[in-house]
């Protein structure tokens, strides 16, 4: 019991001991971004929360036994609108935004998931799932080319959000009201015009609804029943409520995800952050304003994941000072994968990261640098890659990131001559790179020559 992982399950609304379906195959699905714009710090919060959970699960069960899936929603009306606004093709928007997302999350030391499926690669699975739901009378097509899920056919609808149907109708945004049988029925498929992305289907040329995307991708990659489903608290209704309904009904009543984890809202200087209110800030803007990804990570994880964060620049500046102090105390290069017990125990209690970080402070203050450094390594606080060492501006950092991506592609193709050449050129320019199992880190050396890098 002392070493059990305890997680708060949004479905039961209580803490429960995490018991995996199979210890050699831990399966985690997290709703990823809709790729039409730069990631703001609210988007970064679930990435960092579930990155910490991913690290902990890998430590407990072995990294080869944890399958972490985080999707990209690359078919959506917001993407269509952005493409029209910029007068470019839709795939140009999605490709650029996914590239930006990876660059920004790499700055925050977030590990890449096992799989990052794109919705557009799973259209056939979505169509298959919709056909199954229609055949079982859980969904119905309409004459105008829509397919809707019939909410009243699923008795447990509203269980996750803890609301009855009358409450949900009152608080819901009604779409396509004229063609659906019930105001709460949600769209599984909708028609597309000639300017919108679309695919042939039994109901005509169209595209999937948002909710069916995650259900189809998670079923294909993780199976009908898996361990943990996560995301922001704003996704509980309607997205996750609808995922449960369609997934359970399509799988003949089998359980969908055993645990549901949700991170809290992010406030910006005391106000709820929102693109509609135009009071949001992107990860890129913070980095360009000379804040480090390490400090952003520290601020995010110093608040418990289920609590709202009040994001302030004061907290960010304080985090920079703490990490600079820790970096000056750091003396170790080679560390084990063992999490010191005080930190481990804190994280076992529903990812209590604030308590874990306070334990790291105690270790540094008492001179226990071995445990402090092992804890920082686990947490993703890369003290070797502090802001001071890599403060070269966004253009140089982007150039280095681009070269490392080319090197990675060369290594995947087993073109080791090209990969070695890129590494050698970076070293000659004064950029030292270090390969870890999950990613490559870099730092600027004292002999850095900007002109040499720019000519690569």
């Amino acid at each position: 019991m002392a070493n059990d992982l305890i997680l708060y399950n949004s479905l039961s609304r209580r803490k429960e001991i995490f018991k995996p379906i199979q210890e050699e195959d831990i399966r985690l699905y997290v709703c990823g971004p809709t790729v039409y714009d730069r990631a703001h710090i609210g988007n970064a919060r679930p990435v960092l929360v579930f990155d910490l959970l991913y690290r902990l699960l890998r430590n407990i069960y072995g990294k080869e036994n944890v399958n972490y899936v985080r999707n990209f929603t690359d078919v959506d009306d917001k993407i269509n609108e952005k493409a029209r606004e910029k007068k470019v093709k839709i795939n140009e928007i999605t490709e650029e935004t996914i590239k930006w997302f990876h660059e920004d999350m790499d700055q925050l030391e977030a590990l890449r998931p096992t799989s990052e499926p794109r919705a557009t690669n799973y259209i056939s699975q979505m169509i298959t799932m919709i056909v199954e739901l229609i055949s079982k009378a859980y969904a119905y097509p309409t004459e105008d080319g829509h397919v809707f899920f019939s909410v009243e056919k699923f008795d447990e609808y509203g269980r996750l959000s803890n609301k009855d149907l009358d409450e949900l109708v009152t608080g819901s945004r009604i779409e396509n009201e004229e063609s659906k049988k019930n105001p709460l029925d949600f769209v599984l498929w909708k028609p597309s015009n000639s300017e919108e992305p679309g695919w042939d289907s039994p109901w005509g040329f169209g595209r999937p609804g948002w909710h069916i995307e995650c259900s189809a991708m998670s079923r294909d990659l993780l199976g009908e029943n898996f361990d943990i489903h996560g995301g922001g608290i704003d996704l509980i209704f309607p997205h996750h409520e609808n995922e449960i309904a369609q997934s359970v009904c399509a799988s003949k009543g089998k359980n969908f995800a055993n645990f549901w984890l949700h991170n809290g809202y992010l406030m910006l200087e005391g106000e709820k952050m929102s693109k509609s209110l135009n009071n949001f800030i992107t990860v890129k803007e913070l980095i360009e304003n000379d804040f480090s990804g390490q400090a952003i990570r520290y601020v995010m994880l110093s608040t418990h994941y289920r609590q709202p964060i009040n994001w302030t620049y004061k907290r960010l500046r304080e985090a920079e000072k703490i990490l600079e102090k820790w970096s000056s105390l750091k003396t170790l290069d080679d560390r084990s994968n063992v999490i010191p017990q005080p930190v481990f125990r804190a994280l076992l209690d529903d990812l209590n990261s604030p308590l874990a970080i306070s334990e790291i402070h105690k270790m540094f203050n008492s001179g226990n640098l071995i445990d402090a450094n092992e804890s920082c390594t686990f947490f993703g606080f890369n003290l070797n890659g502090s802001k001071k060492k890599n403060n070269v501006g966004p253009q140089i950092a982007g150039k280095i990131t681009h070269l490392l991506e080319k090197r990675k592609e060369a290594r995947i193709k087993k073109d080791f001559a090209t990969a070695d050449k890129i590494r050698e050129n970076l070293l000659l320019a004064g950029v030292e790179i270090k390969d870890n199992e999950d990613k490559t880190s870099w730092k600027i050396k004292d002999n850095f020559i900007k002109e040499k890098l720019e000519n690569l």
Side-chain angles (χ1 to χ4, degrees):
M1 291 291 290
N3 285 327
D4 285 330
L5 173 58
I6 309 293
L7 297 173
Y8 182 87
N9 191 345
S10 299
L11 193 61
S12 63
R13 286 173 285 284
R14 66 173 184 267
K15 287 184 178 181
E16 299 176 11
I17 296 175
F18 174 66
K19 294 180 180 178
I21 298 168
Q22 296 175 283
E23 290 196 0
E24 67 280 5
D25 184 20
I26 311 298
R27 286 165 285 161
L28 165 67
Y29 186 92
V30 174
C31 291
T34 300
V35 286
Y36 68 98
D37 207 348
R38 278 278 181 182
H40 57 64
I41 52 176
N43 301 138
R45 189 175 192 193
V47 172
L48 293 179
V49 164
F50 291 101
D51 179 66
L52 184 62
L53 177 61
Y54 182 39
R55 290 167 183 262
L56 183 61
L57 291 171
R58 283 162 41 120
N59 186 276
I60 296 171
Y61 297 100
K63 65 182 180 180
E64 69 281 358
N65 296 326
V66 182
N67 188 356
Y68 173 23
V69 177
R70 185 183 65 219
N71 74 294
F72 286 116
T73 296
D74 62 345
V75 51
D76 186 87
D77 290 345
K78 291 177 181 177
I79 302 172
N80 303 342
E81 185 180 336
K82 180 68 73 169
R84 283 193 296 269
E85 177 189 313
K86 289 195 167 188
K87 298 180 180 177
V88 298
K89 293 180 179 178
I90 288 169
N91 70 311
E92 290 181 47
I93 296 292
T94 58
E95 289 295 331
E96 182 179 51
T97 307
I98 289 171
K99 176 177 171 289
W100 287 344
F101 183 82
H102 280 145
E103 290 173 356
D104 292 342
M105 296 309 110
D106 286 350
Q107 289 273 7
L108 307 184
E109 299 291 333
L111 302 177
R112 297 283 177 93
T114 315
S115 301
E116 293 181 287
R118 301 184 186 194
T120 52
N121 292 334
Y122 289 79
I123 300 297
S124 64
Q125 290 90 330
M126 296 172 202
I127 291 173
T128 297
M129 199 171 199
I130 295 170
V131 169
E132 290 173 10
L133 288 167
I134 293 173
S135 69
K136 295 171 184 174
Y138 288 113
Y140 57 92
T142 62
E143 291 183 359
D144 61 3
H146 285 84
V147 180
F148 292 101
F149 182 89
S150 184
V151 166
E152 64 184 13
K153 296 289 183 70
F154 183 55
D155 292 339
E156 293 193 351
Y157 194 82
R159 181 182 166 198
L160 181 67
S161 54
N162 197 27
K163 296 180 185 293
D164 61 34
L165 293 187
D166 290 337
E167 286 181 278
L168 291 174
V169 169
T170 302
S172 65
R173 182 178 64 181
I174 306 301
E175 294 178 299
N176 304 105
E177 189 174 10
E178 67 283 352
S179 60
K180 63 172 69 172
K181 296 178 181 178
N182 182 313
L184 276 179
D185 291 352
F186 57 89
V187 67
L188 300 173
W189 190 263
K190 53 188 173 182
S192 296
N193 61 37
S194 59
E195 295 179 356
E196 294 170 329
W199 293 262
D200 291 326
S201 79
W203 320 285
F205 185 72
R207 60 198 190 278
W210 175 33
H211 314 300
I212 197 70
E213 295 177 12
C214 286
S215 285
M217 286 185 280
S218 64
R219 183 168 81 163
D220 190 79
L221 293 167
L222 300 177
E224 291 181 333
N225 178 215
F226 53 93
D227 296 292
I228 302 171
H229 195 311
I233 195 170
D234 56 312
L235 297 181
I236 289 179
F237 184 83
H239 186 48
H240 288 167
E241 194 78 73
N242 292 349
E243 271 192 79
I244 291 173
Q246 63 201 8
S247 296
V248 171
C249 292
S251 63
K252 299 178 182 177
K254 288 182 182 176
N255 200 18
F256 181 35
N258 289 355
F259 277 76
W260 287 83
L261 271 65
H262 294 94
N263 62 271
Y265 289 114
L266 191 143
M267 316 285 285
L268 181 60
E269 299 287 355
E271 293 185 356
K272 183 183 174 184
M273 197 179 69
S274 165
K275 283 193 174 181
S276 61
L277 297 175
N278 201 32
N279 69 332
F280 66 95
I281 187 164
T282 66
V283 172
K284 180 176 183 283
E285 288 171 321
L286 289 176
I287 299 296
E288 287 183 342
N289 287 331
D290 209 26
F291 290 107
S292 68
Q294 299 295 298
I296 298 170
R297 186 179 184 91
Y298 182 97
V299 173
M300 288 286 188
L301 297 180
S302 59
T303 297
H304 191 275
Y305 79 92
R306 286 194 286 118
Q307 300 302 314
I309 289 180
N310 184 23
W311 186 275
T312 66
Y313 286 99
K314 180 182 177 183
R315 292 185 69 185
L316 200 52
R317 288 189 290 269
E318 289 171 351
E320 294 284 14
K321 291 176 182 177
I322 290 166
L323 292 168
E324 279 189 31
K325 176 186 173 184
W326 286 2
S327 184
S328 68
L329 293 171
K330 195 195 74 62
T331 58
L332 300 178
D333 290 322
D334 297 319
R335 297 175 292 277
S336 70
N337 289 322
V338 176
I339 310 174
Q341 276 299 305
V343 171
F344 188 56
R345 285 195 298 270
L347 294 174
L348 287 177
D349 183 11
D350 195 30
L351 290 183
N352 194 338
S353 55
L355 178 58
I357 289 174
S358 73
E359 294 292 348
I360 299 175
H361 277 282
K362 290 179 186 177
M363 293 168 188
F364 273 114
N365 292 339
S366 66
N368 183 0
L369 298 184
I370 294 176
D371 283 356
N373 279 275
E374 287 175 346
S375 300
C376 284
T377 299
F378 169 78
F379 252 85
F381 297 142
N382 179 13
L383 302 182
N384 280 323
S386 67
K387 180 184 71 169
K388 238 178 183 179
K389 291 177 182 174
N390 284 340
N391 187 16
V392 292
Q395 288 186 329
I396 294 296
K399 175 79 172 184
I400 294 169
T401 301
H402 174 67
L403 289 168
L404 290 179
E405 284 292 330
K406 288 180 66 177
R407 177 173 176 265
K408 181 180 178 182
E409 290 171 8
R411 294 176 76 187
I412 290 171
K413 295 175 182 175
K414 300 190 183 300
D415 182 4
F416 299 113
T418 299
D420 290 342
K421 187 65 176 175
I422 294 172
R423 183 188 189 106
E424 181 183 341
N425 287 337
L426 284 168
L427 193 58
L428 289 172
V431 181
E432 182 179 338
I433 67 175
K434 183 177 181 181
D435 292 318
N436 298 312
E437 291 183 351
D438 297 292
K439 64 189 298 185
T440 298
S441 59
W442 59 272
K443 67 178 180 178
I444 297 298
K445 299 181 70 179
D446 292 336
N447 65 336
F448 175 66
I449 303 171
K450 179 181 177 183
E451 291 71 25
K452 279 191 176 182
L453 183 69
E454 289 176 337
N455 291 331
L456 292 179

